[in-house]
Amino acid sequence: MTREEERILSGEQGWANQTCMKILVRLGELFGAEKLIPITSAHVSGISYKTLGDAPIEYLKAMADANAEVKVKTTLNPQSLDPEYLIRKLPIELRNKQLKILKQFDRMGMTESLTCTPYYLGKLRRGSHMAWAESSAVVYANSVLGAWTNREGGPSALAAAIIGKTPDYGIHKAENRQPNCLVHVKTDLRNETEYGALGIHLGRLLRDKIPIIQGLQKDNDRLKQLSAAIATTGMTNMFKAGSTTERKKTETVEIESNDLKRTIEELNTASNKKPDLVFIGCPHCSYAEMEKTAQLVKGKKVKQGIELWVCTSCHVKEAATDAVKQIEKSGGHVLAGVCTVVSWTEKLGIRTIMTNSAKTAYYAPTLSKADATLASMEECLKTALQG
Ligand code: F3S
C-alpha cells in the first residue's frame, strides 16, 4: 500500500474513507491482489428499494453524513419506479423510501443515471480499469467495449467510487483475460432472443471460463443480450467473438439448435397466451432499439388489457424523442431509469410478462412472481398490438 492509502486506512481521512479502504483491502487480500489500481469510473448496483430493502439505507446515510464523496465518475443502476408513470401507480411509502435512497447517492456526488447500460452515456476508453457492479454491463464492457472490470457487488463498487481505486486482481490482469475454451455455435442465431438463450445455456456450462465464441454477428444489441444472459446463470465475466479459423482449445463446446430450443422452452413458463405486460428493454434499450420499437408500433394501438413498457435510461429517452412520441402515441409507456425486475410489477397485478430478454424471463418467476413468455421483439410487439 502507498503511504496515502495507509493513512486513509488508519482513519486520517475520516470514517467513510476508512470504511471504504477497509472493504477494498479485505477484498484484495481475499483474491491475492498486490496493490490497488486507479479506476476511471464506477457503477453501483443495489439502487432499487425493492432489491435493497431497509437496512442498507442507514449505511448509505451514515456514509453521506460522514462526507463520503466519489473520486471518479460514478453511475447508478435502475431504481424501482420511474418519475412519470409508475410513480403515480405505486404506494407513496415506496416512493418516499426510494427517494431517500437516491438522495444519499446524490449527496455522495453520484450521477443519477439510473441505468444498467451506463456505456451509452459516454465512450469508454479501451483498456481502462473500472469498478462496475451490474453483471450484464460488466460482461458487455469487457467483451464488446474492451474496458476492464471485475464483477463488483454494490458495496465494493461504492467503496471503489469513494477511494477512486480497486484491488488489482481477476480480470484487471492481462493474463486472466485469455480465453480458455472454444464455443462453436453450429446453428444460425436468428434474433436477440436466441443470443439471450445462448447466454443462459453457456452461463450454466462455462461457470467462470472465458470462451471464444464462433458464429456471432457483429451486432452490439444482440451481443448485449448475450452478455446479460451469460452473466445471469454463470460467473463468466467476458467472452471473445472468434472467427471460424480459431485454433482449438483444450475444451471445446458445441452448441446445436436443440440446445437453444430447449433453453427457450424452459424459460417460457406462461401457459396463458395473453400477457398482462409486454416488456422491451432488458438491458435498457439503445437508441437503435428505441427506433426499431417505434417503427414496429407506428400507426397502431396497443391492445386494451395489455401494458407495453419500453425501458431505457433518461439519457437515451431524451435523445430518442421521436421514437418516444411514436411509442406513446401507440399507447405504450417509455419508462426511464427502471425495469420490471427491480420494480414492483406484482403490486400492479402483473402475472404474465412477455419479453425479448432471456434475463428477464429467467428472473420473472422468482423476482417478479410472474410467468414469462420469451420471444423476439417483433413477436412481443405483435402480441402487444393484437393480443
Ligand atoms: Fe437492466 Fe433490469 Fe435487465 S437492471 S439488465 S433491465 S434486469
Side-chain angles (χ1 to χ4, degrees):
M1 290 179 78
T2 64
R3 294 278 286 279
E4 200 209 346
E5 288 162 3
E6 275 171 1
R7 283 205 296 272
I8 296 173
L9 191 62
S10 72
E12 234 179 68
Q13 290 186 22
W15 171 82
N17 283 308
Q18 183 186 33
T19 305
C20 292
M21 188 56 93
K22 276 185 186 167
I23 292 172
L24 298 183
V25 168
R26 184 76 191 112
L27 197 61
E29 282 168 359
L30 276 174
F31 289 97
E34 284 174 359
K35 58 178 189 234
L36 297 176
I37 48 171
I39 51 169
T40 53
S41 67
H43 179 76
V44 179
S45 64
I47 313 302
S48 156
Y49 175 49
K50 180 188 168 188
T51 52
L52 197 65
D54 284 302
I57 303 180
E58 290 317 307
Y59 173 70
L60 292 173
K61 184 168 180 310
M63 292 288 281
D65 286 348
N67 301 321
E69 208 175 318
V70 297
K71 302 271 186 319
V72 291
K73 181 180 176 191
T74 303
T75 44
L76 300 176
N77 233 21
Q79 59 164 329
S80 60
L81 39 80
D82 74 302
E84 287 175 12
Y85 182 60
L86 296 178
I87 202 164
R88 290 186 274 115
K89 296 183 80 114
L90 289 165
I92 193 146
E93 316 83 74
L94 298 181
R95 185 189 75 172
N96 289 345
K97 290 275 190 177
Q98 185 63 69
L99 285 177
K100 192 171 174 190
I101 294 169
L102 294 187
K103 189 173 165 200
Q104 310 318 317
F105 286 118
D106 185 48
R107 291 172 69 204
M108 290 186 262
M110 295 174 199
T111 314
E112 257 207 27
S113 41
L114 302 170
T115 183
C116 48
T117 54
Y119 39 83
Y120 294 146
L121 269 58
K123 209 166 165 0
L124 302 181
R125 244 192 15 249
R126 289 187 84 80
S128 59
H129 294 273
M130 316 186 302
W132 282 17
E134 176 45 48
S135 59
S136 65
V138 166
V139 177
Y140 189 82
N142 280 316
S143 314
V144 180
L145 304 175
W148 295 28
T149 175
N150 280 324
R151 190 186 299 196
E152 303 291 341
S156 67
L158 177 64
I162 303 292
I163 299 296
K165 293 180 179 176
T166 193
D168 187 22
Y169 73 94
I171 218 148
H172 288 292
K173 296 174 105 58
E175 63 268 30
N176 295 335
R177 299 177 66 88
Q178 301 311 314
N180 45 16
C181 124
L182 181 67
V183 174
H184 180 33
V185 182
K186 293 174 75 183
T187 176
D188 278 344
L189 296 164
R190 291 169 301 173
N191 53 41
E192 77 282 13
T193 306
E194 294 191 349
Y195 273 75
L198 173 66
I200 295 286
H201 183 64
L202 283 180
R204 287 178 179 138
L205 281 180
L206 301 179
R207 298 180 184 277
D208 63 351
K209 294 205 180 79
I210 298 181
I212 292 191
I213 309 178
Q214 293 175 326
L216 300 179
Q217 295 156 9
K218 272 204 171 126
D219 177 323
N220 284 359
D221 287 328
R222 292 179 173 188
L223 296 178
K224 182 174 71 171
Q225 290 297 331
L226 171 63
S227 303
I230 209 168
T232 298
T233 47
M235 287 308 291
T236 289
N237 282 332
M238 70 176 282
F239 61 83
K240 275 193 173 175
S243 66
T244 43
T245 56
E246 212 65 62
R247 271 192 296 146
K248 287 238 183 297
K249 300 273 167 220
T250 32
E251 186 180 339
T252 301
V253 175
E254 299 201 326
I255 304 295
E256 313 273 353
S257 62
N258 260 343
D259 295 315
L260 303 184
K261 200 165 159 249
R262 258 198 323 273
T263 307
I264 292 175
E265 275 167 13
E266 208 186 291
L267 293 169
N268 270 290
T269 52
S271 47
N272 183 357
K273 282 241 174 309
K274 185 175 152 290
D276 300 317
L277 171 69
V278 172
F279 167 52
I280 307 292
C282 170
H284 276 173
C285 282
S286 63
Y287 185 86
E289 288 171 312
M290 292 293 295
E291 298 251 283
K292 188 174 170 193
T293 305
Q295 274 307 315
L296 288 166
V297 298
K298 192 174 176 183
K300 302 177 188 129
K301 281 276 174 220
V302 173
K303 188 100 179 158
Q304 241 193 348
I306 299 181
E307 293 243 330
L308 169 62
W309 294 4
V310 180
C311 289
T312 188
S313 59
C314 51
H315 176 81
V316 169
K317 186 175 177 182
E318 275 165 24
T321 39
D322 288 348
V324 172
K325 270 192 213 142
Q326 197 65 67
I327 295 164
E328 290 179 344
K329 207 169 154 199
S330 300
H333 302 280
V334 178
L335 311 184
V338 68
C339 77
T340 58
V341 175
V342 298
S343 185
W344 312 91
T345 48
E346 65 276 26
K347 289 195 191 299
L348 302 172
I350 290 163
R351 299 283 171 264
T352 314
I353 299 173
M354 185 174 194
T355 181
N356 63 340
S357 159
K359 176 173 180 177
T360 290
Y362 181 88
Y363 283 128
T366 48
L367 298 183
S368 304
K369 309 279 178 290
D371 288 326
T373 303
L374 178 63
S376 67
M377 183 194 277
E378 280 85 352
E379 284 177 67
C380 286
L381 294 173
K382 204 166 138 202
T383 303
L385 299 168
Q386 295 177 0

